[in-house]
Amino acid sequence: VTVQREHHISIAKDQFLTTLLEKFESEKERKLFGEFAAAIEALFHVNLIEKIEAFKAAFAPFSRLSGADHKLSTEALSQRQTALLGMVFDVIKAAHFEPISFEMYMSSIEKIFLSDLPIKVDWPRLDVHLLSDFYAMHPQQNPYHDATNKPPFHGHFALFYRGYGLHVMQGLFLEQKINLILSDVFPMVSSYAA
């Protein structure tokens, strides 16, 4: 599995700005650059506020917490849903998350991880048209558009990761072992009882 390098600088903004300001020789230059950096940060915050308000407006008809009674047509709800999905994908892309490739999916299936749980997905209950309709309208948002091998879930949901690392633990892990054994034994016992 090939993993791309991280796309972000893992350093605190204040520490980075302080280091940059130390490069200037005069106090006047430091002050001007500090004001310039503050102005750029303010522009990012204004842009962020606009995006948050647009996100809230698109999400409002679907929120149970929203007290407003939305009487939108099915077409208007569909448009809001598509806009909301586009915003979610934009946030994922801006945060430098990468889609899970088929190779990564197969690698995770072949290995047994401590966090694995026996999960059954009721595929017919999922909206089978949500992502396919969205990808038809916005093919550039489809993380598997150019992939030759697509993960089996690509038509139902998109799965992303950020960073890659190994977590090593030591111990007996009795609870996890018992849960794993029970998850294998219980279906066999219930099939004999039936």
Side-chain angles (χ1 to χ4, degrees):
V1 174
T2 304
V3 179
Q4 293 183 4
R5 295 181 62 160
E6 291 289 342
H7 298 273
H8 68 284
I9 300 170
S10 56
I11 186 171
K13 175 188 67 176
D14 293 335
Q15 182 182 359
F16 183 64
L17 183 59
T18 302
T19 304
L20 282 177
L21 290 174
E22 289 173 357
K23 302 290 182 187
F24 292 97
E25 295 178 11
S26 73
E27 186 62 35
K28 182 180 179 184
E29 288 176 334
R30 278 191 213 107
K31 184 178 178 189
L32 284 173
F33 188 79
E35 290 172 358
F36 175 68
I40 289 175
E41 185 176 9
L43 285 175
F44 280 116
H45 281 289
V46 168
N47 189 18
L48 183 63
I49 290 170
E50 289 175 4
K51 287 182 180 182
I52 289 171
E53 291 303 318
F55 193 91
K56 284 167 46 176
F59 181 70
F62 307 105
S63 174
R64 292 180 183 171
L65 301 176
S66 175
D69 184 24
H70 299 283
K71 295 179 180 166
L72 298 172
S73 66
T74 304
E75 181 62 31
L77 283 173
S78 178
Q79 289 173 353
R80 292 249 180 130
Q81 178 177 284
T82 302
L84 183 62
L85 198 52
M87 290 178 208
V88 168
F89 272 77
D90 288 341
V91 168
I92 289 170
K93 190 176 287 185
H96 305 291
F97 281 81
E98 298 291 331
I100 298 293
S101 67
F102 180 75
E103 292 78 16
M104 290 179 85
Y105 170 75
M106 291 307 296
S107 176
S108 68
I109 293 299
E110 291 167 0
K111 294 177 177 62
I112 297 175
F113 294 108
L114 182 63
S115 62
D116 282 350
L117 296 173
I119 296 174
K120 292 183 180 178
V121 178
D122 189 5
W123 295 109
R125 292 193 68 184
L126 295 176
D127 186 345
V128 294
H129 302 290
L130 176 65
L131 284 179
S132 58
D133 292 350
F134 176 73
Y135 292 151
M137 293 170 57
H138 305 282
Q140 73 282 3
Q141 294 281 29
N142 185 348
Y144 305 110
H145 180 66
D146 295 329
T148 52
N149 293 328
K150 298 175 171 91
F153 54 77
H154 78 278
H156 299 285
F157 56 89
L159 190 60
F160 294 86
Y161 73 96
R162 182 171 184 209
Y164 191 83
L166 298 175
H167 185 67
V168 178
M169 296 177 69
Q170 293 181 351
L172 295 176
F173 306 112
L174 292 176
E175 183 179 341
Q176 290 83 1
K177 289 176 183 175
I178 291 170
N179 286 339
L180 183 63
I181 292 168
L182 288 176
S183 69
D184 288 341
V185 171
F186 187 72
M188 291 189 303
V189 171
S190 62
S191 68
Y192 289 123

